[in-house]
Amino acid sequence: MTAQTQSGQAPDLLYSEAEEDLRAAVRSLLADRADAPTVIARTESDTPYDPELWKALATGIGAAGLLVPEELGGQGATHREAAVVLEELGRSVAPAPYLTSSVVATEILLALGAQDGPASALLTELAEGRRVAVPAVPFAAASAANARLDSLDGVVGPVADAAAADVLLVPTADGLYAVETDAPGVRVEPLVALDLTRPLATVTLDGASGTRLADADAGRRAVDRGLLAGAGLLASEQLGLAEWCLTETVRHTRERHQFNRPVGSFQALKHRMAQLWLEVVSARAAARNAADALATGSPDTPLAVAVAQAYCSKVAVHAAEECVQLHGGIGMTWEHPAHLYLKRAKADATAYGTAGRHRETVAALMELPAP
Amino acid sequence: MTAPDAAELRRRTRELLAAHPPATTDRTDFLKARFDAGLAWVHYPVGLGGLDAPRSLQPVVDAELVAADAPDNDPRRIGIGLGMAAPTILGFGTDEQKERFLRPLWVGEEVWCQLFSEPGAGSDLAALGTRAVRDGEGWVVDGQKVWTSSAHLARWAILIARTDPDVPKHRGISYFICDMTDPGVEVRPLRQITGEAEFNEVFLTGVRIPDNRRLGAVGEGWKVAQTTLMNERVSIGGSRIPREGGMIGPVARTWRERPELRTHDLHQRLLTLWVEAEVARLTGERLRQQLVAGQPGPEGSGMKLAFARLNQEISGLEVELLGDEGLLYGDWTMRRPELVDFTGRDAGYRYLRSKGNSIEGGTSEVLLNIVAERVLALPSEPRNDKDVAWKDLSR
């Protein structure tokens, strides 16, 4: 068989001490600035993003520059650390353009390989948290192939976090462009999104101009690499989200009494939570494997990412659905945050390709073709 | 003495190989020499086959021995002794018991079996009814045990029996080492769903056990048994698996080699199970890395649950994938296999045998309770058996 077999080095699936320190810092920031009532209130305001939170996360903690080498103004860390940040963001569902700007757009610029010029200048600005860039690619796209305009004219959407962006990375038939969102001929119009905590927008380019960063082929390869990293690390966000749902469901069912006993003592409920725990534990292994593969440049990366997305999407949705159900009536209210997690989980399951699309990638890589 | 490091273990292994060249040494003699050199299980104490070294260094010794083509102790044949009896004897045995039993156990001269489950005590093992009654210096045991693998090959058994029926069930149990050659021990094969008899029923009638073959204090047998059972679950779920190494392997190979069998429905199910099998493999790998790093997590309790479900679903898919061939079965002849290979034989066998994976070593339902109560700290169901004397329980 010529299908990919195991590569030599076993992936490191644990967390390092430095990664745990980073987690503690991000978690404490989010607890301070993005508790559930605050996040719920912001979703219906004009400012879904909290600029102070972003500043503290991106610049204060330095999370925006984790993937960027130190000589370009970043932290010189890896996808393993960025994955830990995303676990915490998934746990809090606070709106922040981290996955889109600090992972996908950053990875696209890194993949261009420029040491100077506009791409590397923008990279430095992103790494230092001074600006935000997002790819002008539909959030559901798993590859650049079906996600490009003929020129800087046309409509793209739904684009995640476009409303928070200073710069759009626009793949066109003529190359990859950086387009300022406040330039003439650029319109970013908010959409009503299923996920309240990751705003979506339509981007309309009407005779816009921008800076050409790469030709069409290099641009397409860079966007593909960015989307691969996005899909791989989205698994960590899904893991954090699922973990929050399980923790809160366990907490609630231990406290909630019906029939003169905690509802969490009924086996019908306990078994569902134990099953969820097993899924969360498994999602952690899959997500760490994808993050480690991206970090080490393993030849297994496409498979590791496809496996993580095919698995973790389902776990996050299942956890959020169980969270709503096992909370009973309170889980259906606007006041309780469970709905934020369900909406995020369901949207995440489509983002960067559905589980089914990633299973097709597994089929191709492992030579398990359709009939 | 400080515990030896990897280099020291490597040196001692080479010394053993030089003194007892595998090519010219009798297999049993070599294994005895290895035990006496402390290289059998390096984390065991000095004098009992080990060197008080970290368990994670065992692979250093094993790699040297494999490279030198040295014989091993055929761990699959003596799994119950190695995985269950030995840790229990080490944890609760007297010095005399450890001296007497561990060496022939590890070398494989004496096979062990486990006399725990009973027809009336499966998931509720603590309700067991086999009685051990004081008789002078020893005990007389009467009762029936079931699901005993290797009973027909075993020299010794680990046995739990009721020594006090007047106290609540968990408190009236004691733990013994039972001589399987006692004339009161009768072993009968128990034919199972696959046609063969991997297991036995064991009838105990007036079996005499001297008091110096008791493990732990009288009435403390349940606590001792927890050590045995914890090791059982680890040994079932904890072995290393390469990609496509489990039941998914033969299905994936059939899929690649026989395009005429492919349908869209089977394809979707295959891919879903392939991903789940790969994730289960990674979860096992992560658990192993935690153990090596000295941070054992509760994930182990979940692995058996995951593999039971996967084995059942994958083998079920395989029977369907094979079409006409899936309608056939290799052989229903009643046999007593010495080794059990869950992935062996044909798809029909795998399908039927894997039904046991969610029953043996703790049913999946009991394991879900364990995860819910011990890992998630969810409250237990109200119980009506905790403060009732065993003799007053309904049965």
Side-chain angles (χ1 to χ4, degrees):
Chain A
M1 132 186 157
T2 53
Q4 264 181 290
T5 48
Q6 208 131 7
S7 44
Q9 190 70 26
D12 176 1
L13 303 177
L14 305 181
Y15 299 100
S16 70
E17 227 169 283
E19 287 162 6
E20 292 294 4
D21 290 347
L22 174 64
R23 177 198 303 288
V26 176
R27 187 177 292 190
S28 133
L29 169 67
L30 291 168
D32 267 5
R33 292 219 55 103
D35 62 5
T38 309
V39 172
I40 292 175
R42 273 194 180 277
T43 60
E44 290 190 293
S45 75
D46 294 338
T47 52
Y49 301 97
D50 173 357
E52 290 305 310
L53 170 66
W54 178 250
K55 200 173 149 204
L57 177 69
T59 312
I61 293 176
L66 286 172
L67 299 184
V68 180
E70 284 175 40
E71 57 270 26
L72 291 175
Q75 310 295 320
T78 72
H79 303 79
R80 294 178 53 91
E81 290 82 0
V84 169
V85 173
L86 279 162
E87 280 184 35
E88 293 308 310
L89 285 168
R91 198 191 300 272
S92 106
V93 294
Y98 190 79
L99 182 63
T100 45
S101 180
S102 308
V103 175
V104 179
T106 298
E107 188 83 20
I108 291 171
L109 295 171
L110 283 167
L112 295 174
Q115 291 303 308
D116 46 35
S120 87
L122 179 54
L123 204 44
T124 300
E125 292 177 321
L126 299 190
E128 292 174 349
R130 285 188 280 131
R131 305 187 88 193
V132 168
V134 304
V137 169
F139 197 35
S143 103
N146 46 5
R148 67 177 186 188
L149 300 170
D150 288 336
S151 62
L152 291 181
D153 260 303
V155 181
V156 189
V159 175
D161 292 332
D166 306 296
V167 180
L168 300 165
L169 301 182
V170 188
T172 72
D174 173 45
L176 178 67
Y177 284 84
V179 177
E180 307 278 329
T181 49
D182 59 6
V186 180
R187 277 206 321 279
V188 175
E189 290 160 309
L191 292 163
V192 179
L194 174 68
D195 176 5
L196 294 163
T197 58
R198 180 141 42 211
L200 301 175
T202 300
V203 171
T204 305
L205 302 177
D206 184 6
S209 61
T211 310
R212 191 164 180 268
L213 302 176
D215 65 30
D217 274 353
R220 185 180 41 74
R221 280 196 303 274
V223 171
D224 275 344
R225 170 68 195 183
L227 295 174
L228 182 72
L233 296 196
L234 175 61
S236 289
E237 179 183 305
Q238 290 164 323
L239 164 64
L241 186 158
E243 212 171 16
W244 182 93
C245 291
L246 173 60
T247 305
E248 285 307 308
T249 306
V250 167
R251 187 209 309 279
H252 173 76
T253 57
R254 280 164 55 96
E255 287 166 4
R256 168 85 174 165
H257 280 65
Q258 295 282 275
F259 305 101
N260 195 36
R261 50 192 270 212
V263 295
S265 67
F266 286 94
Q267 285 193 30
L269 274 58
K270 279 156 86 166
H271 284 193
R272 287 166 67 163
M273 287 181 270
Q275 180 58 43
L276 209 49
W277 172 82
L278 181 55
E279 289 174 29
V280 169
V281 163
S282 306
R284 186 182 308 286
R288 284 318 274 168
N289 187 51
D292 191 74
L294 284 160
T296 59
S298 158
D300 261 355
T301 303
L303 181 67
V305 169
V307 165
Q309 266 309 298
Y311 189 79
C312 297
S313 283
K314 205 166 62 174
V315 172
V317 171
H318 185 211
E321 289 179 348
E322 290 290 72
C323 183
V324 169
Q325 174 65 24
L326 299 188
H327 273 79
I330 188 78
M332 280 300 288
T333 65
W334 190 266
E335 175 191 3
H336 192 280
H339 66 100
L340 298 180
Y341 290 81
L342 179 64
K343 291 162 186 171
R344 172 66 72 86
K346 198 63 186 168
D348 276 0
T350 299
Y352 304 135
T354 58
R357 186 173 286 278
H358 288 284
R359 280 196 293 273
E360 286 173 18
T361 303
V362 170
L365 293 171
M366 291 307 300
E367 298 188 350
L368 298 166
Chain B
M1 189 188 92
T2 56
D5 59 10
E8 173 64 10
L9 288 176
R10 209 167 282 125
R11 192 189 63 75
R12 290 189 189 216
T13 309
R14 288 180 184 161
E15 212 171 81
L16 168 78
L17 288 163
H20 307 271
T24 56
T25 309
D26 171 73
R27 177 176 176 273
T28 305
D29 290 344
F30 180 85
L31 292 172
K32 286 178 178 168
R34 179 177 162 189
F35 187 94
D36 296 338
L39 299 168
W41 32 32
V42 296
H43 59 293
Y44 269 50
V46 173
L48 296 172
L51 293 167
D52 291 306
R55 188 173 192 163
S56 54
L57 291 181
Q58 185 67 43
V60 173
V61 173
D62 294 347
E64 290 287 319
L65 292 170
V66 167
D69 222 5
D72 70 11
N73 60 348
D74 200 357
R76 293 203 305 170
R77 193 177 71 93
I78 55 173
I80 292 169
L82 292 174
M84 292 182 237
T88 313
I89 293 169
L90 182 69
F92 293 92
T94 61
D95 288 346
E96 290 75 15
Q97 288 167 338
K98 292 179 205 170
E99 283 288 329
R100 164 61 188 85
F101 292 112
L102 289 176
R103 189 170 183 256
L105 180 159
W106 187 87
V107 170
E109 288 179 306
E110 291 180 344
V111 174
W112 287 69
C113 67
Q114 182 205 36
L115 297 176
F116 277 25
S117 293
E118 298 180 4
S123 290
D124 186 11
L125 181 61
L128 59 90
T130 291
R131 291 278 282 118
V133 178
R134 270 277 189 198
D135 180 44
E137 287 301 284
W139 301 82
V140 176
V141 178
D142 286 277
Q144 183 188 346
K145 297 287 179 176
V146 72
W147 299 118
T148 315
S149 36
S150 306
H152 55 299
L153 308 169
R155 174 69 181 81
W156 301 102
I158 43 177
L159 163 74
I160 46 178
R162 185 151 310 279
T163 44
D164 187 351
D166 296 321
V167 295
K169 60 183 180 180
H170 291 93
R171 287 192 256 142
I173 296 171
S174 302
Y175 198 119
F176 299 95
I177 295 170
C178 175
D179 183 347
M180 292 296 286
T181 65
D182 186 286
V185 175
E186 189 199 345
V187 177
R188 294 185 204 158
L190 180 61
R191 197 173 184 198
Q192 69 206 46
I193 195 167
T194 54
E196 62 192 7
E198 250 172 79
F199 303 97
N200 299 279
E201 296 178 289
V202 177
F203 296 83
L204 306 166
T205 312
V207 175
R208 306 197 71 86
I209 299 182
D211 194 47
N212 64 9
R213 298 227 183 98
R214 177 167 44 77
L215 278 175
V218 173
E220 297 275 297
W222 185 250
K223 197 179 84 188
V224 182
Q226 293 311 303
T227 301
T228 312
L229 294 174
M230 213 171 342
N231 279 288
E232 177 176 29
R233 281 170 200 147
V234 169
S235 59
I236 286 177
S239 55
R240 175 164 201 162
I241 301 172
R243 183 175 295 152
E244 289 193 4
M247 289 230 184
I248 198 71
V251 192
R253 276 192 293 281
T254 302
W255 188 271
R256 291 185 189 110
E257 287 160 13
R258 302 183 54 186
E260 76 281 7
L261 298 175
R262 298 172 190 163
T263 70
H264 288 286
D265 166 62
L266 290 168
H267 191 231
Q268 292 308 312
R269 289 159 63 198
L270 171 70
L271 291 177
T272 300
L273 289 170
W274 194 95
V275 167
E276 288 177 357
E278 172 68 357
V279 172
R281 185 185 75 82
L282 291 166
T283 309
E285 176 57 27
R286 183 161 198 277
L287 174 65
R288 207 167 357 263
Q289 291 182 8
Q290 284 177 295
L291 290 173
V292 169
Q295 350 161 323
E299 284 83 347
S301 2
M303 291 311 293
K304 181 181 176 292
L305 279 166
F307 281 113
R309 185 185 64 78
L310 275 173
N311 286 348
Q312 292 170 354
E313 292 196 17
I314 293 168
S315 58
L317 177 77
E318 193 183 10
V319 170
E320 284 179 62
L321 171 63
L322 288 169
D324 290 344
E325 223 175 287
L327 295 173
L328 308 178
Y329 189 79
D331 183 6
W332 292 114
T333 310
M334 155 69 189
R335 286 181 303 171
R336 301 179 80 151
E338 202 171 311
L339 292 177
V340 178
D341 182 0
F342 293 161
T343 59
R345 295 180 52 180
D346 53 34
Y349 171 84
R350 286 195 276 276
Y351 173 68
L352 294 171
R353 181 60 186 84
S354 66
K355 292 297 167 208
N357 293 168
S358 54
I359 300 170
E360 56 204 342
T363 66
S364 289
E365 289 72 18
V366 165
L367 291 181
L368 287 170
N369 281 346
I370 290 175
V371 167
E373 289 171 23
R374 299 196 194 155
V375 181
L376 300 178
L378 286 163
S380 56
E381 293 259 2
R383 295 182 61 164
N384 62 11
D385 59 345
K386 277 205 159 156
D387 302 314
V388 180
W390 174 81
K391 63 177 166 46
D392 298 325
L393 294 175
S394 62
R395 68 189 118 244

